Amino acid sequence: MATVRGCNIPENLYYWVEKHAWALPMDDGTVKIGITDVAQNLAKGIVNATPKDTGRTVQKGKSAGTLESGKWVGPVTSPVTGEIVEVNEAMKGNPSLINSDPYGEGWFVKVKPTDWAGESAALLTGDAAVAAYQKFMEEQNLNFE
């Protein structure tokens, strides 16, 4: 796992850097999504997480739900279009999981994508994602070390 200015960037995930969202394709064809370590560091202590309900359709670039911290309220932007098939109930009950483990226990929702192959082509992974976050954090003068 790469670390950029104090933030973890696992190379196996797909990232939409500008929206601070990640996606992980699962063996069953669903895609787990969440916010990045950069996003949770910017938000600080997350106190409320409200994902959209199972069965709802989300569009790429639109909100899959909202997060609230002491200083910010904002969307979790979906990096793919599809139907929400699962909500992370543990994260809903304990939103601080997003701060402590944004890529593991703090995932947000699972989506059954309508066009993973097409939409994932626009997402960054591996070294390209690490380089994009390095550039973004330098431009924004962010450092969480």
Side-chain angles (χ1 to χ4, degrees), residues 26-45:
M26 308 303 289
D27 291 340
D28 64 1
T30 63
V31 176
K32 194 181 281 188
I33 65 173
I35 68 165
T36 65
D37 197 20
V38 176
Q40 73 82 17
N41 271 293
L42 288 168
K44 303 285 188 234

Side-chain angles (χ1 to χ4, degrees), residues 3-4 9 20 27-29 38 41-43 59 82 86 92 98 118 132:
T3 302
V4 177
I9 310 294
H20 300 298
D27 291 340
D28 64 1
V38 176
N41 271 293
L42 288 168
Q59 299 294 319
E86 187 178 345
K92 271 178 69 175
I98 296 170

Side-chain angles (χ1 to χ4, degrees), residues 71-90:
K71 65 179 215 168
W72 174 82
V73 175
V76 174
T77 303
S78 182
V80 295
T81 298
E83 178 186 341
I84 296 174
V85 294
E86 187 178 345
V87 168
N88 184 349
E89 295 296 336

Side-chain angles (χ1 to χ4, degrees), residues 61-142:
K62 302 294 183 186
S63 174
T66 57
L67 295 177
E68 180 180 354
S69 73
K71 65 179 215 168
W72 174 82
V73 175
V76 174
T77 303
S78 182
V80 295
T81 298
E83 178 186 341
I84 296 174
V85 294
E86 187 178 345
V87 168
N88 184 349
E89 295 296 336
M91 174 273 314
K92 271 178 69 175
N94 183 8
S96 67
L97 287 172
I98 296 170
N99 294 113
S100 61
D101 191 9
Y103 304 117
E105 296 298 315
W107 62 275
F108 199 66
V109 295
K110 281 186 189 174
V111 173
K112 182 176 174 51
T114 55
D115 183 18
W116 172 251
E119 290 181 333
S120 65
L123 303 175
L124 299 177
T125 192
D127 292 342
V130 173
Y133 261 111
Q134 184 77 44
K135 182 177 184 229
F136 172 83
M137 293 178 80
E138 286 173 9
E139 289 173 350
Q140 299 296 316
N141 197 27
L142 298 174

